[in-house]
Amino acid sequence: QVYLVESGGGLVQPGGSVLLSCAASGTRFRINVMGWYRQVPGKEREPVAAISSGGITDYGKSVKGRFTVSRDNAKNTVSLQMNSLKPEDTAVYYCNADYYSDDGYSEVWGQGTQVTVSS
C-alpha cells in the first residue's frame, strides 16, 4: 500500500505564489508518473501537471508557463510551484501517483489541499 501526503496550499492573493509538496510512503514500490490534479465543486477533476520518473513533464493548457512540477525520485516526492496565480486557480489540489508494487500496477491519490486565490 502506498500513501500520499500533501502539504502547502492556503490563501494567496492574485499574482502570488504557492508551493505544494507531496510525499509518497509505503513498502516495496516504485513510482512511475507523479502529478497534480485540481477540482472545484460541480466540475470534474482536471489534470494540472505530471512528471515521469525520467523527468518528462506535461502541463494543462491553463497553467503552462505559470506552474512548474518537479520531483525527487530518491525521496519519492513531487512538488508544484505555482506562480502568477489567478482567482480561477482556486481549487482543491490532489497529488496522484502511478506505481509498481508486489500487487501490480496501481494508482493512488492524496487527500487534497485547498488553494484559494483571492484578494
Side-chain angles (χ1 to χ4, degrees):
Q1 188 80 21
V2 173
Y3 301 92
L4 300 178
V5 177
E6 298 143 346
S7 59
L11 176 64
V12 61
Q13 292 188 340
S17 298
V18 166
L19 176 67
L20 303 183
S21 298
C22 173
S25 62
T27 57
R28 298 169 62 89
F29 68 96
R30 179 170 61 86
I31 295 178
N32 184 20
V33 179
M34 297 189 84
W36 295 89
Y37 288 68
R38 67 186 182 187
Q39 188 171 24
V40 297
K43 292 189 176 182
E44 292 188 359
R45 194 170 295 187
E46 66 169 348
V48 175
I51 183 168
S52 71
S53 57
I56 298 173
T57 58
D58 189 29
Y59 295 93
K61 188 180 299 184
S62 63
V63 307
K64 194 171 291 187
R66 299 188 297 121
F67 293 8
T68 302
V69 62
S70 60
R71 68 187 280 178
D72 185 329
N73 290 332
K75 296 181 179 179
N76 287 315
T77 59
V78 63
S79 298
L80 184 67
Q81 178 65 49
M82 307 163 60
N83 299 329
S84 302
L85 283 161
K86 305 174 182 180
E88 51 264 42
D89 293 318
T90 296
V92 178
Y93 285 73
Y94 296 90
C95 180
N96 173 271
D98 297 336
Y99 66 95
Y100 299 94
S101 71
D102 292 344
D103 295 327
Y105 194 64
S106 304
E107 179 184 43
V108 62
W109 293 88
Q111 78 282 4
T113 185
Q114 177 72 44
V115 174
T116 301
V117 184
S118 176
S119 55

